[in-house]
Amino acid sequence: MTSTPKQKVAVIGGGGNVGASTAFALIAKGVPAEVLIVDLSEQAALGQALDISDASFTMPGTCRQASFQEAGQADVIIITAGARQKPNEPRSNLIDRNYTIIKSIMDSLQPIKSTSKILLISNPVDVLTHIAQTTSGLPRAQVIGSGTYLDSGRLRNALSDITGVSPTSIHAYMLGEHGDNQFTGWSSARIGGLPLLDHPKLKGMDLESINQRIAHKAYEIIEAKGSTYYGIGMCAAIIAEALLNNTSQVFPLTHYVEGLGCYMSWPAAIGSSGVEQSFDVKLDAAETKKLEVAVKAIKEVCAKYN
């Protein structure tokens, strides 16, 4: 490279599998940005940065290790760091530990550039996105999470296998909480402009079995190889690219939904200013009940971290 790209994307926790996969996806996709690898383990950050930089010689992006202070001045700051749930550990304990981690990261990034966008990947992503916004000082529109984007991708892949239609031509979302209370918006799903459930290959299909397959895919991967990182790494890179390039693409992301009064996973258009539009998805009665359950669960946890 004869010059360093002007735009910067910082990956916090870049020494780990998810962070490194995200950084590599940014380079491999040809995103014209300087990718900054930041981690408490400086040795891990250096190793990942050196390795990923070897993949950048034919690409417009570059990659290097950086400090937290440098990361605070990035255009997009991706948070992949966080505590993992221990065996038999209550979810409340995990959130408490992650609150401490996220707050420490936000303190280390200060002063954060006023136009930066923060993208949370760490789980539980809906609650941690709320915490990141309150501790970063940035406007709500500039702090988002990966939400159910990966889950929705898994859903589209499964529906593609059933219908024989490309996943990119299937418009269906997993909604609500990224977790136990997520649900499929079947009534709003479309394929070729028609209701998805009108497709002949979905007639009589056990929809709940599809939901269960999506919900358990991560566990299947974790059981086989220990953790998931390539799928979410690519999703994070795609979201970051949309923020940098001001594409106004719609993703099912964790963002603050004014009408529901909380951070949750819901379709939104994003661009250089963060969230540009949040969409009113039409739900049937059963789906509305599931939404209410998800919103209640998220609000109850977030109320402890205001």
Side-chain angles (χ1 to χ4, degrees), residues 94-113:
L94 175 66
I95 297 171
D96 283 342
R97 290 196 292 128
N98 271 324
Y99 172 82
T100 301
I101 291 170
I102 297 299
K103 187 177 186 308
S104 175
I105 289 171
M106 293 306 155
D107 288 345
S108 298
L109 293 172
Q110 298 295 339
I112 300 173
K113 188 166 74 169

Side-chain angles (χ1 to χ4, degrees), residues 75-208:
D75 299 285
V76 177
I77 303 168
I78 304 175
I79 312 290
T80 68
R84 293 185 180 181
Q85 195 163 9
K86 299 175 182 176
N88 302 315
E89 180 183 25
R91 187 166 176 265
S92 57
N93 284 12
L94 175 66
I95 297 171
D96 283 342
R97 290 196 292 128
N98 271 324
Y99 172 82
T100 301
I101 291 170
I102 297 299
K103 187 177 186 308
S104 175
I105 289 171
M106 293 306 155
D107 288 345
S108 298
L109 293 172
Q110 298 295 339
I112 300 173
K113 188 166 74 169
S114 63
T115 56
S116 291
K117 273 70 66 180
I118 294 177
L119 170 60
L120 265 289
I121 305 299
S122 311
N123 284 313
V125 69
D126 304 297
V127 174
L128 295 188
T129 305
H130 166 86
I131 291 170
Q133 191 275 318
T134 58
T135 56
S136 69
L138 292 179
R140 286 170 174 163
Q142 292 172 222
V143 184
I144 63 176
S146 54
T148 54
Y149 182 32
L150 176 55
D151 305 287
S152 297
R154 290 169 175 159
L155 172 66
R156 292 183 183 197
N157 276 340
L159 292 172
S160 175
D161 290 341
I162 295 168
T163 63
V165 174
S166 167
T168 60
S169 296
I170 297 172
H171 302 284
Y173 298 120
M174 301 299 292
L175 300 168
E177 177 191 40
H178 172 65
D180 296 338
N181 293 310
Q182 67 180 335
F183 63 94
T184 305
W186 292 114
S187 58
S188 64
R190 295 290 183 270
I191 183 169
L194 297 174
L196 176 69
L197 297 183
D198 286 350
H199 193 284
K201 291 186 178 179
L202 282 167
K203 295 293 185 183
M205 181 71 65
D206 182 355
L207 300 181
E208 186 53 35

